[in-house]
Amino acid sequence: WDSSVYIGMGKYLYSDAGFWESTRPVIWPLMLGFLWKLGNVIILGRILEIILGGFCVLLTYLIGLRLFEKKTALLASFLLAVSPAFFFFNGIMLTEIASLFFLLLGLYLLAKGSHFASGILFGIAFLTRFLQFIAFVSILMAFFYIGKQKTLGKHTKIIAGFLIVLSIFLIFNFFMYKNPILPFTEHIILTKNSGWHNHQPLKFYFIKLFNENVFYLLLFFGLFLIIKNNNDKKMLVALPFLAFFIFFNFLKQKEMRFLIILMPYMFLLLSFSIFEILHK
């Protein structure tokens, strides 16, 4: 259903056809609507998402190369590529893969020192899936921690890039609904009053993650080492993972596809842990 909604919204944006849901972000419908204009959106949409999934694997490697070591980057990208949830949902035209691509690209640009461009990518990721705001805030906090309060100018560039993208969406909302924040408020109401059939106990992800990788619990060893040894740059991976992991576990509605947006961080931490244990 969600995929058909995004396609319908895309048609609505480019024609008189389709339909509209105000609770949804707009970037993915914009992309699917463009593909609909080109031809068969079902085929082209699947191909696009598979390509974006491939780039997510590549970006996981490139980020790992910047923040960890080459062997950690290689193993993490491999683990992401063979993850059952990541593999299964890649090509179903939901927002997890597309938003993850934009977020990881923003994180990679941030690691390279392109602060304004990274802010723009974080904004696009947020407008592809609203939950990516958690990643944006946690990465911003980690970057502030790394700079030890000496990166105010860089922070300003990141936030400025994010706000430029957000302001375009707010202006669109004003003309569309006469209320700039309507999609956010309605989205919160929707999430509180839907998905009851997927309400799961707290143990759900702890058990289900064994399907992704039987050794996944080792990642907490790497997380401990990063915090203990004050590995500043690795906090750009550790903090988003922690924020997402805590949030998803305390969310009543639990689905494995939700975790796709934290998996690159998870597998980087797991790979780091494995090589640290082997080294020691």
Side-chain angles (χ1 to χ4, degrees):
W1 170 248
D2 287 347
S3 303
S4 60
V5 170
Y6 294 123
I7 293 171
M9 291 174 67
K11 291 180 179 180
Y12 184 88
L13 286 168
Y14 288 89
S15 72
D16 295 328
F19 54 91
W20 190 258
E21 284 193 11
S22 59
T23 60
R24 310 270 184 173
V26 297
I27 297 296
W28 191 229
L30 272 170
M31 297 169 72
L32 292 178
F34 179 74
L35 295 179
W36 171 71
K37 294 290 286 186
L38 292 179
N40 190 324
V41 65
I42 303 298
I43 295 175
L44 294 177
R46 288 178 183 274
I47 292 172
L48 173 62
E49 190 173 19
I50 291 168
I51 291 171
L52 293 178
F55 276 115
C56 286
V57 174
L58 174 62
L59 286 166
T60 300
Y61 170 75
L62 294 175
I63 291 168
L65 211 56
R66 284 269 171 184
L67 304 181
F68 295 88
E69 295 179 350
K70 185 176 182 178
K71 56 187 178 182
T72 301
L74 279 169
L75 180 58
S77 57
F78 170 75
L79 292 175
L80 178 63
V82 299
S83 157
F86 184 81
F87 189 86
F88 177 78
F89 286 104
N90 199 338
I92 299 182
M93 291 182 290
L94 300 174
T95 56
E96 280 81 10
I97 300 292
S99 69
L100 181 61
F101 163 72
F102 291 122
L103 198 287
L104 291 178
L105 183 57
L107 181 56
Y108 174 66
L109 291 177
L110 178 64
K112 285 189 65 177
S114 302
H115 305 103
F116 181 73
S118 70
I120 291 176
L121 267 298
F122 291 144
I124 294 173
F126 171 59
L127 295 186
T128 309
R129 182 162 176 79
F130 291 146
L131 280 180
Q132 292 290 8
F133 186 71
I134 295 173
F136 169 65
V137 172
S138 56
I139 289 171
L140 206 61
M141 291 173 62
F143 191 62
F144 184 78
Y145 174 77
I146 292 170
K148 305 295 185 184
Q149 301 182 357
K150 297 177 182 178
T151 57
L152 186 59
K154 297 174 183 178
H155 270 83
T156 303
K157 291 179 181 178
I158 299 169
I159 295 171
F162 182 87
L163 290 179
I164 286 173
V165 177
L166 178 61
S167 63
I168 295 171
F169 184 57
L170 295 177
I171 293 169
F172 170 80
N173 292 339
F174 178 79
F175 286 104
M176 190 80 170
Y177 319 114
K178 306 302 179 186
N179 182 352
I181 63 170
L182 181 75
F184 305 127
T185 55
E186 288 198 346
H187 186 80
I188 292 170
I189 294 170
L190 179 67
T191 53
K192 288 182 178 179
N193 295 281
S194 64
W196 298 302
H197 59 292
N198 285 318
H199 282 195
Q200 302 289 348
L202 186 61
K203 64 182 180 180
F204 178 80
Y205 287 133
F206 286 96
I207 296 173
K208 287 289 185 178
L209 276 172
F210 282 109
N211 294 334
E212 300 302 310
N213 192 295
V214 69
F215 301 111
Y216 87 93
L217 285 174
L218 290 177
L219 71 87
F220 292 101
F221 174 70
L223 200 59
F224 169 76
L225 286 181
I226 290 170
I227 296 171
K228 178 178 179 292
N229 297 331
N230 198 27
N231 287 324
D232 289 1
K233 63 181 182 179
K234 294 180 177 62
M235 290 297 289
L236 290 170
V237 168
L239 205 55
F241 168 79
L242 265 180
F244 272 135
F245 191 74
I246 293 170
F247 175 81
F248 284 133
N249 272 288
F250 284 96
L251 200 65
K252 290 183 179 179
Q253 183 180 353
K254 295 180 176 66
E255 298 181 54
M256 283 305 296
R257 70 179 177 92
F258 291 172
L259 297 192
I260 288 173
I261 60 178
L262 68 70
M263 283 182 179
Y265 318 115
M266 181 177 81
F267 289 128
L268 281 168
L269 291 170
L270 174 58
S271 301
F272 172 67
S273 300
I274 290 171
F275 287 117
E276 283 294 309
I277 290 169
L278 291 174
H279 175 72
K280 293 181 183 299

